[in-house]
């Protein structure tokens, strides 16, 4: 019984939160349209968090994600203004982001620099490039109408953004749980030296994890631009804290103490549901930030308590 609570307690908490908000606001929060809308609202956060999950599988952190989200949005608009077709522009942005990820992963794995420091430095560089490209201004205009469709509207009855989340989540789940590369990443995160002695290539696999995180972050920048029709040099600033809150929450679910994609989705859903519910109830945004920080602290404490009991 205790094992079930520890394994599925976070998922049960999500259900309780949904029921509580549905009772508090049955006509607004509890409607089917709003519940579907929540899946759209959580998409961008969840994709960034899934990228962070892959990095945490190797036992590292990526603090450059927010800067790369902003870079992705700004760079794709700059390419549009230069006349680059939308598909090619998106590929160029994702390729550029992968370079940032490779640099972070290489510095962390090859020189054993703390990932906090390495990715903070890379994020600062990316932020500088973003401001240089945008000249510090919000960019809009010259965005193709077809490009906006990838972040708006509905497909097969669900918001298009929700389909992006479903696709990315399945891809990341396959990478971490079904492919050999995932076992290598978890081996590095579990015991780096043991993984090295077992023949796992530390540098290349760590670089892969950071590339996935960077590409997913840049994709969020692209989708965010498509959704709102503009891009700001600080547009991704709000994703870092919330994304890691989702990952830490997810580490208390399904596989305790280990970053995993299903758990991260539950964590992102909890944050999205709380944000949506509090907004409907008229709670101010600063109080929502306080609650988000409290969630991170609570998740860490729960995880700590679980380890001590184990």
């Amino acid at each position: 019984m205790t094992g079930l609570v520890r394994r599925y307690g976070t998922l049960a908490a999500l259900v309780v939160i949904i029921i509580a908000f549905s009772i508090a606001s049955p006509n607004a929060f509890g409607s089917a349209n709003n519940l579907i809308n929540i899946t759209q609202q959580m998409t961008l956060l969840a994709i960034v968090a899934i990228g962070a999950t892959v990095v945490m599988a190797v036992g590292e952190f990526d603090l450059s994600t927010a800067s790369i989200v902003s870079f992705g949005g700004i760079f794709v608009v700059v390419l549009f203004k230069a006349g680059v077709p939308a598909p090619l522009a998106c590929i160029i942005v994702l390729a550029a982001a992968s370079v940032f990820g490779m640099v972070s992963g290489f510095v962390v794995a090859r020189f054993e620099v703390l990932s906090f420091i390495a990715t903070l430095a890379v994020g600062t560089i990316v932020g500088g490039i973003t401001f240089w490209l945008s000249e510090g201004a919000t960019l809009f205009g010259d965005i193709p109408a077809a490009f906006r469709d990838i972040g708006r509207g509905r497909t097969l009855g669900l918001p298009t953004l929700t389909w992006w989340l479903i696709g990315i989540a399945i891809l990341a789940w396959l990478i971490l749980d079904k492919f050999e590369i995932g076992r290598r990443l978890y081996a590095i995160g579990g015991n780096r030296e043991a993984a090295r002695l077992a023949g796992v290539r530390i540098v290349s696999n760590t670089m892969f994890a950071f590339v996935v995180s960077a590409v997913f972050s840049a994709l969020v920048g692209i989708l965010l631009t498509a959704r709102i029709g503009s891009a700001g040099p600080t547009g991704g600033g709000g994703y870092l804290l919330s994304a890691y809150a989702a990952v830490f929450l997810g580490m208390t679910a399904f596989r305790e103490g280990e970053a995993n994609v299903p758990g991260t989705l539950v964590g992102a859903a909890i944050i999205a549901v709380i944000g949506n519910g509090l907004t409907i109830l008229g709670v101010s945004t600063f109080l929502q930030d306080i609650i988000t920080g409290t969630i991170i602290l609570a998740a860490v404490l729960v995880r700590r308590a679980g380890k001590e009991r184990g």
Side-chain angles (χ1 to χ4, degrees):
M1 183 64 181
T2 302
L4 287 175
V5 172
R6 289 167 62 178
R7 189 178 178 88
Y8 299 107
T10 307
L11 180 61
L14 171 61
V15 175
V16 170
I17 293 171
I18 292 174
I19 293 174
F21 279 122
S22 298
I23 294 173
S25 180
N27 294 328
F29 181 87
S31 67
N33 284 336
N34 185 58
L35 294 177
I36 293 175
N37 188 45
I38 289 175
T39 66
Q40 176 178 243
Q41 292 176 346
M42 67 178 278
T43 290
L44 301 182
L45 166 64
I47 293 176
V48 176
I50 288 171
T53 301
V54 178
V55 170
M56 289 193 70
V58 296
E60 305 291 354
F61 291 88
D62 185 358
L63 301 186
S64 67
T65 52
S67 297
I68 296 178
V69 171
S70 302
F71 168 81
I74 288 292
F75 193 28
V76 76
V77 177
V78 168
L79 292 173
F80 289 153
K81 291 182 178 296
V84 179
L88 180 58
C90 293
I91 292 172
I92 292 173
V93 170
L94 297 180
S98 71
V99 173
F100 298 138
M102 279 190 268
V103 172
S104 293
F106 182 77
V107 172
V108 170
R110 176 65 179 81
F111 301 106
E112 299 188 355
V113 176
L114 292 175
S115 55
F116 283 107
I117 299 172
T119 56
L120 183 62
V122 170
T124 303
I125 294 170
V126 174
I129 294 173
T130 303
F131 271 86
W132 171 63
L133 289 172
S134 66
E135 297 180 342
T138 297
L139 302 183
F140 50 86
D142 298 318
I143 299 176
F147 170 77
R148 297 184 182 187
D149 292 340
I150 68 173
R152 299 180 178 181
R154 288 176 175 259
T155 304
L156 300 177
L158 289 177
T160 304
L161 279 179
T162 301
W163 287 110
W164 279 100
L165 174 57
I166 293 172
I168 292 296
I170 292 174
L171 175 62
W173 175 73
L174 289 173
I175 290 174
L176 287 180
D177 286 13
K178 298 299 177 183
F179 295 162
E180 183 182 346
I181 180 70
R183 290 190 286 274
R184 293 201 295 263
L185 297 182
Y186 280 123
I188 294 172
N191 189 319
R192 182 188 180 98
E193 190 57 30
R196 187 197 307 275
L197 293 174
V200 175
R201 295 182 177 179
I202 305 298
V203 175
S204 60
N205 286 291
T206 303
M207 288 175 65
F208 173 80
F210 278 93
V211 166
V212 171
S213 175
V215 169
F216 284 3
S217 296
L219 174 62
V220 167
I222 292 171
L223 294 175
L224 180 62
T225 300
R227 184 180 181 187
I228 65 178
S230 64
T234 59
Y239 288 103
L240 180 61
L241 177 61
S242 299
Y244 276 95
V247 178
F248 276 115
L249 278 170
M251 292 172 71
T252 66
F254 306 120
R255 297 202 297 260
E256 187 180 3
E258 186 175 81
N260 64 93
V261 173
T264 296
L265 288 175
V266 172
I270 288 176
I271 294 173
V273 167
I274 291 176
N276 180 277
L278 293 178
T279 299
I280 288 176
L281 295 178
V283 177
S284 58
T285 55
F286 72 84
L287 185 56
Q288 294 182 30
D289 290 339
I290 293 174
I291 293 174
T292 301
T294 304
I295 288 172
I296 299 174
L297 186 59
V300 172
L301 291 176
V302 168
R303 184 182 167 206
R304 174 89 178 174
K307 281 186 174 180
E308 290 178 351
R309 290 175 184 174

